[in-house]
Structure formats: C-alpha cells, structure tokens
Amino acid sequence: MLLLVFLQKRLTKVNMENIKIWLSSPHMGGGERKYVTEAFDTNWVAPLGPNVTGFENDLSEYVKHNSEIDFYTAALTSGTSALHLALIMLGTSSNDIVLVQSFTFCGTTNPVVYQGASIAFVDSEVDTWNIDPVALRKGIDTLLAEGYGIVGKIEPQSGKGYIRAIMPVHLYGMPAKMDELENIAVESGIPILEDAAEALGSSYQGKRCGTFGIMSALSFNGNKIITTSGGGALVSSNNAYVEKARFLSTQARDNAPHYQHSQIGYNYRMSNIVAGIGRGQMEVLDERVAQRRTNNQRYRDYFKEISGVTLQSEPNADYFSNFWLTAVLIDPQLTGGIDREFVRLEMEKENIECRPLWKPMHLQPVFEGSRFYGSGICEGLFENGLCLPSGSNLTEEEFQRIFSVLDKVFNK
C-alpha cells in the first residue's frame, strides 16, 4: 500500500513537471461567470443584449482615460473584422493602396486584400520595432510619384487609386512612435488606421493605444491580455463610424419590418454571451497589465548579466507597454553561437511554448512581389527574435522550469 501511494505521488509530480507552459493562455478573473450566468438566466443568449452594450461602454471609458475626447466602441467578432469594416468605411477598393507595417500578423494585412486593394509594406525602426516613420515618408513620396492620390487633396493619375490609410501596429504591446506618425498623417492627409490588437492597456504620452487613429482595432483572442475567447472591437472618436460599423456588422439590415438590404453587410457582431466574458475581464484588466509587466521585469533581471540577449524595451518615459508578450533578441555572435531557434527547441523539449517573432509580411509567400520600403530591420528582428512565455497566470513553479532551461542553455 505504501509503495502504491509513493508511486501515485511520484507519477503526479512527473505529470505536473511536464504540464505544458503556454506562451499566453487565458486568465479568468472570476467575475465573468456573473455576466454569463445573467445572460442565461434572462435568456439573452441571442446576438446583442445588455452585455454587448455594457462591454462597449466599459471599453470606451477605459480607452478615454484622461482624455477630454469621448470614444465609442463597436464590439465585433475579431480585430480583423474591425480593420475590415474600417477599410470599407474609408472607401477602400481596387486600384487603392494601403501603407502597412510589415512586421505584424496577417490579421493586419488580410482585410486590405478583402477589399481588393494593394499593400505597400513598411519596415520597422529599432527603438520600438514598429513602423519606421522615415521609411513611411519614403513610401508615401514614392507612391505619389507613381500617380496614387490622396482623398480630398491629390487626384490619382494613370489609372491609380488613392493611398487610403497608414496602418501602424503596437507590436507585443509596445506603442509605436505616434507623435511622428501623427505628424506624417496631418502633413500628407492620409488617415491612420491603428492596429491596437496587442496593446490594450498600453499608452503613449499618457494617451491610451487605440485612440490615435481615425479608427482603431482591438482584439480579445484567447491569447490576448484579456479575452472573450474570440472577439474584437472597433474604436473611434467619431460615433458615425461606430454606428456604421454596427450596421455593417449585422448584415447591413435596413430599418424595415422585413429583411431589406441596400448594401452588402457582414456577420461580424459580438454575441451577448461572449461580451459577458469581456465585461468580467475588464474588471481585472489593470491587474493583468501589472502582472505582464512583472513577468517582463523578471526576464530583465534574469538576462541582465547575459551577453547577446536584449529585450524589447520602452525607449523613454513617453512609452508605457502592457508587455503583452516579452520578446527578446538573441545575437549568436555574442552568445557563443546560441541562437533563438536553439533556445526555442530546448524549451520545446521541456513542453514550454516559445515562438519566433512575426515573420514580416513582405516575406510571406502570399505577398511575394509586394512593395516594401525600408532597409530590412524587421527581417533581422524575425531572424533573431523570440517570444517567451508571458501569461499573467504563470506560477512560480512554471517560472522556475523556464529559468532552469535557460540556465542550461546559457550555462548560468
């Protein structure tokens, strides 16, 4: 009997030691159940309902922060759908082109293709890893020389369309250089469509990410800093855009007693059940930001004595990152040949998930031959970069497993 008890304890310990450590797993706060249960108890399980309205209001108040400007929100099925609707409302169509940060996920780029428009990819800068203002200016000048126009300012030539938008991304929660980007937008007359999918809770010069663009997208995918299991939102200070997004996202149904449609719509609206999860998650958002930043600091403390490993960092006090993911660059010339792939595979052996940084979109087979403006900074980031486990629910035991692997890799 004693032997059986010992073996059971030993097996449990082995199983616990090998349990998967995810890059960024969902982290419930407890309040979500209240809103979801209320939806069931009141039979608000159909699309829309009080949780949707409540979640939208919660988000609008959160991103407003200390601003004197009011913001409005449409809760949708994904951040991708938010960008798609925004591009529609900007009038994007074939012959048009959009300037997009290359160093991002395909959820940023695909909506441009949905509209039949072309993409001009823009490189990153070394400080934040986000869209490079210098390369952006060069891209705009080049496109204007090719005959592209700017709405209300320059008419297109030779069968070209308009440069419809500039699309920066706050990568891994790090705010882009928004002062420089806003100056470019004002000077050129090209609106900013802000992808803040990874940056809820981040801010630049005290202003929340998601409030810089003419419209902005948020994401609540399962791995984001808060989640609704899947979902997103469109945010704008212009309520007309938000109202139009709500209309388009519910199949563009006209105000009539029967089903009547005067334009093409989409099934992009968030459900009342999903929004209930979001309302509960909003109650712990600031706590989640603090937890991610604490994780980031633990990695900083660990790597400060290891040559060749640098972390994505806030350039100065203007930047406040939620550090949704902690991302590092590993220079094999300074680490004795240790590169990011070696680290990733050593982690994988111990059932610990790490991922390379985003592969730049201009290198993706689906966008082969697309325009690209820059010197290849983002290519170097991809080659040497790695995202480490960053979930707000990481335990002390899980951190010790992570550090144990890193100790072995770096002979620490």
Side-chain angles (χ1 to χ4, degrees), residues 181-256:
L181 297 179
E182 286 187 311
N183 287 338
I184 293 172
V186 171
E187 292 167 9
S188 67
I190 304 169
I192 290 174
L193 176 51
E194 184 187 359
D195 186 344
E198 303 171 6
L200 184 61
S202 300
S203 59
Y204 177 74
Q205 295 181 348
K207 185 177 178 181
R208 300 279 199 203
C209 290
T211 61
F212 291 93
I214 189 171
M215 286 174 276
S216 303
L218 302 174
S219 173
F220 313 113
N221 191 32
N223 64 0
K224 293 300 188 293
I225 196 155
I226 64 167
T227 182
T228 57
S229 76
L234 182 142
V235 177
S236 180
S237 60
N238 186 336
N239 194 37
Y241 282 132
V242 172
E243 290 293 340
K244 186 66 178 289
R246 291 170 179 159
F247 170 71
L248 291 172
S249 67
T250 49
Q251 300 289 22
R253 181 183 174 185
D254 292 338
N255 186 17

Side-chain angles (χ1 to χ4, degrees), residues 139-153:
I140 292 171
D141 290 343
T142 302
L143 293 175
L144 291 176
E146 290 180 15
Y148 283 94
I150 297 175
V151 175
K153 189 173 181 180

Side-chain angles (χ1 to χ4, degrees), residues 71-237:
F71 290 90
Y72 308 90
T73 304
L76 304 168
T77 53
S78 66
T80 303
S81 62
L83 292 175
H84 186 201
L85 294 180
L87 288 165
I88 291 170
M89 289 186 283
L90 290 177
T92 311
S93 62
S94 60
N95 298 328
D96 291 337
I97 197 163
V98 179
L99 289 148
V100 182
Q101 181 171 317
S102 183
F103 199 36
T104 186
F105 176 61
C106 68
T108 310
T109 57
N110 286 351
V112 181
V113 181
Y114 299 163
Q115 289 306 106
S118 298
I119 301 175
F121 290 108
V122 183
D123 203 357
S124 296
E125 37 78 12
V126 297
D127 296 327
T128 72
W129 305 359
N130 294 312
I131 194 167
D132 179 8
V134 175
L136 177 62
R137 286 184 184 275
K138 178 181 178 181
I140 292 171
D141 290 343
T142 302
L143 293 175
L144 291 176
E146 290 180 15
Y148 283 94
I150 297 175
V151 175
K153 189 173 181 180
I154 302 172
E155 286 300 305
Q157 305 294 320
S158 306
K160 305 290 186 181
Y162 292 101
I163 308 172
R164 288 289 178 179
I166 298 165
M167 292 178 64
V169 184
H170 306 297
L171 204 71
Y172 306 123
M174 183 64 65
K177 294 185 173 181
M178 293 311 305
D179 54 348
E180 297 181 49
L181 297 179
E182 286 187 311
N183 287 338
I184 293 172
V186 171
E187 292 167 9
S188 67
I190 304 169
I192 290 174
L193 176 51
E194 184 187 359
D195 186 344
E198 303 171 6
L200 184 61
S202 300
S203 59
Y204 177 74
Q205 295 181 348
K207 185 177 178 181
R208 300 279 199 203
C209 290
T211 61
F212 291 93
I214 189 171
M215 286 174 276
S216 303
L218 302 174
S219 173
F220 313 113
N221 191 32
N223 64 0
K224 293 300 188 293
I225 196 155
I226 64 167
T227 182
T228 57
S229 76
L234 182 142
V235 177
S236 180
S237 60

